[in-house]
Amino acid sequence: MGIFNKLSFKDQAFKLREDAILDAATRMLASKGFDLMTMDDVALEVGISKPSLYKHFKSKEDLVGEALIRLIDGAIEHLGQMPATLTPLQRLSDLLEWALRVRLGGGLPFLPSTSAHVRDMLTRNLRYVARVLKLHQQLKALVRQAKAAGQLDAALPDDVILFSYYARTCDPSVDYLRLYSQLDDEAIVASMLRVCFDGLR
Amino acid sequence: MGIFNKLSFKDQAFKLREDAILDAATRMLASKGFDLMTMDDVALEVGISKPSLYKHFKSKEDLVGEALIRLIDGAIEHLGQMPATLTPLQRLSDLLEWALRVRLGGGLPFLPSTSAHVRDMLTRNLRYVARVLKLHQQLKALVRQAKAAGQLDAALPDDVILFSYYARTCDPSVDYLRLYSQLDDEAIVASMLRVCFDGLR
DNA sequence: GTCTATATAAGGATAGAC
DNA sequence: GTCTATCCTTATATAGAC
């Protein structure tokens, strides 16, 4: 029994450290991007050595994949927690707002991959692809409901709406507005939502 | 006199090769992005050796900067050639359409820098910054005219409109639509324009 | 000015001691 | 399981011959 408790404690500590690693990786991905995030940096930030890091994640690709899976799961969870009273369009808007706030708070956008390298890497990560597909199906259903209710432009193909929607979560204008405009985070979120659904006109 | 002609010929050949290098770099930046574009690849594609490549451009950053300057100049030139009859909004729409077609044809988006690394690099390139600023001023004037004429949402700050506009030229949804939707290039351009100015609603 | 050959540096990944 | 020390590959950049 004592042995089992001891193992359990170890496992708990292991799990805690794993979360710390994922947190650090997420922060660094958000600030520096995939290519400039080094395993040395992550290990240093967490306060462990590189070989220890590799005991948790067998490669950099694996680590990044897990961080993104956690993010997608957060989005799915946020979708599931929404009050039943919201319309499909309100759900889409609410999730985008959530994603923008996560990002402005130092987190990651989903669809972080404007780079073909990262995109290909993620495509080979079957667990990641499965999660993204699950989220994609839920969002596709919302888009169809919103279109049927006249809340989204029915002349636009589903794919166009969905990919444009994803693209807004990783829109570089957020970074530029933060750098070069006087808007605070609240105003940035509000502007992005308005531009997304109502356009520039 | 003969010597001067000879030098002139050499210079011409040098200039031609320089254009070939920039063409190759542009194609590779568009397809692989900054980090995966190697100087070896560029030299190989042009058919010269790496040291020769470094006779033309003193660094990878320099080469990429020149390629992007050429691109921005193309945009400025396209703006200048527009018929005088176009309204400010039509000019903005026309330039975005041009940028999207350039990109779909294997070229580059301006504002290629969703990566902080590339963005910082370009910020240090004063010649590039100067060109971008020139284009930015022209577009800002167009945005203000369009707003005054009621052709753009006056409730949106200029910065929001401008950065969102730039972001549409490098929108990752273009890549995803090409990969995963049935739309041809014409339909993609039309959809992107509609989404940009009228939103998803 | 062009090449072959090489210096140099960064970073992903691991061997082996404890 | 954790560390120190190291390997190995890749890619930028250059030295030096012709």
Side-chain angles (χ1 to χ4, degrees), chain A residues 17 48-49 51-52 55:
Chain A
R17 176 131 72 175
I48 61 177
S49 69
S52 301
K55 295 287 181 186

Side-chain angles (χ1 to χ4, degrees), chain B residues 17 48-49 51-52 55:
Chain B
R17 176 130 73 177
I48 60 176
S49 70
S52 300
K55 294 287 180 188

Side-chain angles (χ1 to χ4, degrees), chain A residues 8-175:
Chain A
S8 177
F9 276 128
K10 266 193 176 176
D11 285 350
Q12 277 188 351
F14 198 82
K15 183 74 176 68
L16 279 179
R17 176 131 72 175
E18 202 149 288
D19 280 335
I21 295 171
L22 287 174
D23 288 341
T26 299
R27 277 194 304 276
M28 303 188 59
L29 278 174
S31 61
K32 315 170 75 170
F34 177 79
D35 294 292
L36 266 63
M37 178 196 102
T38 72
M39 296 299 264
D40 293 85
D41 288 340
V42 174
L44 191 72
E45 177 130 341
V46 178
I48 61 177
S49 69
K50 200 157 50 162
S52 301
L53 178 53
Y54 274 91
K55 295 287 181 186
H56 289 265
F57 301 95
K58 72 174 193 301
S59 68
K60 183 180 178 183
E61 299 201 354
D62 184 38
L63 169 57
V64 171
E66 293 302 319
L68 292 179
I69 285 171
R70 210 175 51 155
L71 175 79
I72 300 292
D73 282 344
I76 292 174
E77 190 188 338
H78 185 77
L79 255 185
Q81 287 178 346
M82 283 182 195
T85 54
L86 295 188
T87 67
L89 183 63
Q90 283 172 328
R91 285 166 196 271
L92 289 170
S93 178
D94 189 288
L95 182 65
L96 176 53
E97 187 174 339
W98 173 85
L100 290 170
R101 285 190 202 283
V102 166
R103 197 175 143 204
L104 285 167
L108 274 178
F110 26 98
L111 189 104
S113 46
T114 182
S115 132
H117 178 197
V118 178
R119 194 179 57 216
D120 292 350
M121 175 191 92
L122 293 173
T123 306
R124 289 191 303 271
N125 186 329
L126 296 186
R127 289 186 53 234
Y128 172 80
V129 170
R131 302 303 176 100
V132 167
L133 212 60
K134 180 178 175 186
L135 178 61
H136 186 73
Q137 297 306 334
Q138 294 189 18
L139 292 177
K140 191 191 278 186
L142 284 178
V143 164
R144 287 185 173 155
Q145 291 167 28
K147 267 172 138 182
Q151 296 170 336
L152 283 178
D153 186 349
L156 291 172
D158 289 355
D159 285 336
V160 170
I161 294 180
L162 282 165
F163 289 131
S164 290
Y165 180 83
Y166 297 144
R168 285 308 77 71
T169 70
C170 65
D171 197 306
S173 39
V174 170
D175 299 315

